[in-house]
Amino acid sequence: MDVRKALPPYRIKVVEPIPFLTAEERRRALADAGYNPFNLRADQITIDLLSDSGTGATSAAQEAAAALGDESYAGARSWFRFRDEVRDLTGYPRILPVHQGRAGERVLFGSLLKPGQICISNTHFDTTHANVLLAGAEPRDLPCNEAADLDSDEPFKGNIDLAALERTLAGPEGHRVGLVLMTITNNGLGAQPVSMANLAAVRELCRRHRVPFFLDAARFAENAWLVNQREAGYGTWTPRQIATRAFQLADGCVVSLKKDGLAAIGGFIGLRDDELHAACEANLIATEGFSTYGGLAGHDLERLTQGLREVVDPAYLRARAASTERLAELLDDVGVDTVRPAGIHALYLNAGRLLPHLSPREFPGHALGCQLFLDGGIRCAELGSLYLGEMDEHHRLLTPAPFELVRLAIPRRVYTDTHLEYVAAVLADIAKDPEQVSGYRIVSAPPLLRHFKVRLEPLPPAAGRSVASYG
Ligand code: F0G
């Protein structure tokens, strides 16, 4: 890594302490949490890589802007500043604020999808999947074939399978397709970007078959940066120009601003269609708030307006991408495979390969995530059979997930490269003696969005492992 190219364009002004528990305290904390990291308290965690959502650090300029927050119930100045910024970025004439992405999904799908319809995506995020189901429709993922090879360095493994999309649109189920939703970047599949060529081809197919085409653009700036770096013809475009072009290719978007909005809360729906806007607005007012605040405070809108300007800074995106890439290299050096090529907001560990002694029924991804907490106080999320596998009513695995992955999500502007070196060191020790990591079994689980509330217990031989001491 050339540090001259990876230098973050900011320095740190406000910090908060991070907790260091003893190995015994961590063991007890995880047992009390039902071996589900979502149930841990944040003050039990040394490095929190559970999510990059709402976990970033704000800038001095954002906090200064927040002081200007106008908290008027309707027509606040903060709303107009936010709306104009989003319009300018996306080109969509109709903007509705929401408090976070899934609220936007619920409002949009409630107006756009009819029961029995199909929503096609490169990959639905988990709440997106759930909101499609709650609208009575069927979510269907059509990732490109290249995505199935975790080790290949294909540049755009987030793409949709265009041939499969065309087959579905032109086939007997074509009339049931109510929406095509492209997730940029593809969070469910290794943080891989989607190319502009793929988006343009989706637009063409959707036009031809008269199906609405939307973006789930939670990481629009990071996708734009990877397009700038990897796609021929975009090397001279700014990330903001690329992002605007991507929005322009679609009929509308739903965006969680908890990621590339560089703030703790927020989101929006962008639309061209007046009728759809009117339907969404009515739903929004009934459930989120008036259409000039949508569940957000004026100070949130101000932080977001400034955040949207900062996030497309090429120096910021370059440094963030380099930091993630560096962690991937450190892990590669110690024999821990990650989904290639490295994306930006997260690295996905190939737990299935690191822990071949565990079958999918023993949830190797979950086991690795738990071990990262036990050994180093690191929290992360499983993306394997616990999250995606099909189970019977006794929580026995019927069909495993295609891969057993663990996501290390990297909050924006929060951890230094030293923090990430620590993560690599903890993983290096696990990789030295992977057979010591034992599997897990489900004790109880809810029917929808299982991974958030599932409780588990370790399978023997859990007792034998000697816990390394860090911190
Ligand atoms: N779409 C994508 C691609 C997401 O990654 C998320 C959230 C959402 C929609 C929902 O947005 O959280 O604001 O309601 N992803 C977070 C994550 C939670 O950890 O990946 P939200």
Side-chain angles (χ1 to χ4, degrees):
M1 185 183 68
D2 181 348
V3 289
R4 282 163 300 198
K5 290 200 178 128
L7 195 66
Y10 52 81
R11 58 182 179 169
I12 298 163
K13 183 153 65 187
V14 180
V15 297
E16 64 175 335
I18 56 177
F20 293 95
L21 274 60
T22 64
E24 178 52 26
E25 285 167 338
R26 288 194 297 261
R27 198 193 57 72
R28 244 182 295 127
L30 193 62
D32 290 347
Y35 296 93
N36 181 346
F38 279 98
N39 291 334
L40 289 167
R41 294 166 52 111
D43 60 9
Q44 295 168 326
I45 291 154
T46 303
I47 306 279
D48 203 345
L49 306 183
L50 185 64
S51 180
D52 64 318
S53 181
T55 53
T58 51
S59 67
Q62 283 178 288
E63 292 310 316
L68 298 176
D70 176 357
E71 307 299 346
S72 304
Y73 187 88
R77 288 187 301 278
S78 303
W79 155 248
F80 291 109
R81 279 195 277 269
F82 173 81
R83 184 202 62 181
D84 292 349
E85 186 67 32
V86 174
R87 267 191 187 160
D88 197 52
L89 171 70
T90 64
Y92 299 130
R94 298 296 204 168
I95 307 297
L96 292 169
V98 290
H99 82 275
Q100 66 180 96
R102 67 199 72 181
E105 292 161 5
R106 180 180 51 73
V107 168
L108 179 70
F109 300 163
S111 301
L112 189 58
L113 287 172
K114 295 187 192 61
Q117 285 192 323
I118 301 168
C119 179
I120 297 182
S121 179
N122 47 345
T123 308
H124 292 82
F125 178 66
D126 58 9
T127 62
T128 324
H129 181 99
N131 276 304
V132 171
L133 288 175
L134 288 171
E138 177 198 330
R140 198 174 290 181
D141 292 341
L142 297 178
C144 66
N145 293 331
E146 290 83 351
D149 182 354
L150 304 186
D151 303 316
S152 83
D153 272 320
E154 289 288 325
F156 291 104
K157 297 201 292 194
N159 285 352
I160 200 166
D161 180 339
L162 290 169
L165 175 62
E166 183 161 22
R167 268 199 309 279
T168 313
L169 289 170
E173 291 182 315
H175 67 283
R176 282 178 56 212
V177 180
L179 177 64
V180 176
L181 183 71
M182 290 292 288
T183 310
I184 62 170
T185 57
N186 196 340
N187 185 23
L189 268 181
Q192 299 297 313
V194 176
S195 71
M196 301 300 279
N198 195 252
L199 291 179
V202 172
R203 166 199 167 94
E204 233 1 81
L205 285 172
C206 287
R207 283 240 161 135
R208 210 181 311 148
H209 294 274
R210 296 178 189 283
V211 174
F213 165 32
F214 274 63
L215 298 181
D216 173 353
R219 298 176 182 85
F220 68 89
E222 294 180 357
N223 200 78
W225 178 253
L226 294 173
V227 165
N228 167 280
Q229 295 292 298
R230 298 180 188 175
E231 188 164 358
Y234 290 94
T236 58
W237 291 44
T238 65
R240 190 180 161 104
Q241 285 170 330
I242 295 169
T244 301
R245 176 76 189 130
F247 285 117
Q248 280 303 291
L249 288 169
D251 298 313
C253 67
V254 57
V255 181
S256 165
L257 287 177
K258 299 182 68 169
K259 289 84 171 164
D260 280 349
L262 295 181
I265 201 77
F268 70 92
I269 304 170
L271 299 165
R272 298 184 202 285
D273 186 282
D274 286 344
E275 231 175 274
L276 182 58
H277 172 260
C280 288
E281 188 176 38
N283 187 329
L284 184 85
I285 295 171
T287 60
E288 273 284 286
F290 189 60
S291 42
T292 62
Y293 74 90
L296 294 165
H299 59 78
D300 295 322
L301 290 166
E302 296 286 358
R303 285 192 187 89
L304 289 166
T305 305
Q306 176 62 23
L308 287 172
R309 291 180 197 134
E310 293 176 10
V311 78
V312 288
D313 174 5
Y316 156 76
L317 288 165
R318 181 183 293 113
R320 178 159 163 78
S323 180
T324 307
E325 174 75 44
R326 180 162 176 273
L327 176 59
E329 283 166 13
L330 292 175
L331 295 181
D332 192 43
D333 289 347
V334 297
V336 175
D337 287 338
T338 56
V339 175
R340 296 293 312 160
I344 299 184
H345 84 275
L347 278 184
Y348 297 64
L349 310 176
N350 190 338
R353 190 174 293 162
L354 186 65
L355 308 176
H357 61 288
L358 297 181
S359 79
R361 251 180 298 130
E362 296 164 300
F363 306 121
H366 184 75
L368 181 57
C370 286
Q371 207 61 52
L372 278 163
F373 178 74
L374 290 170
D375 289 0
I378 298 160
R379 176 158 74 167
C380 48
E382 191 250 19
L383 279 180
S385 291
L386 185 64
Y387 166 51
L388 289 168
E390 197 194 319
M391 308 215 181
D392 69 13
E393 67 273 24
H394 304 296
H395 316 302
R396 278 185 303 237
L397 190 65
L398 298 175
T399 317
F403 307 108
E404 304 295 340
L405 304 179
V406 176
R407 187 184 74 166
L408 305 181
I410 309 190
R412 292 166 182 77
R413 308 191 288 203
V414 168
Y415 293 120
T416 65
D417 282 339
T418 311
H419 292 109
L420 299 183
E421 278 169 29
Y422 168 89
V423 173
V426 175
L427 265 161
D429 278 351
I430 294 174
K432 277 183 205 146
D433 196 5
E435 291 201 5
Q436 292 294 317
V437 180
S438 56
Y440 285 79
R441 144 186 127 71
I442 293 178
V443 176
S444 65
L448 190 65
L449 292 169
R450 173 173 56 219
H451 51 295
F452 289 119
K453 299 308 296 179
V454 62
R455 294 184 79 84
L456 303 102
E457 63 184 18
L459 293 164
R465 184 174 168 79
S466 59
V467 178
S469 66
Y470 290 88

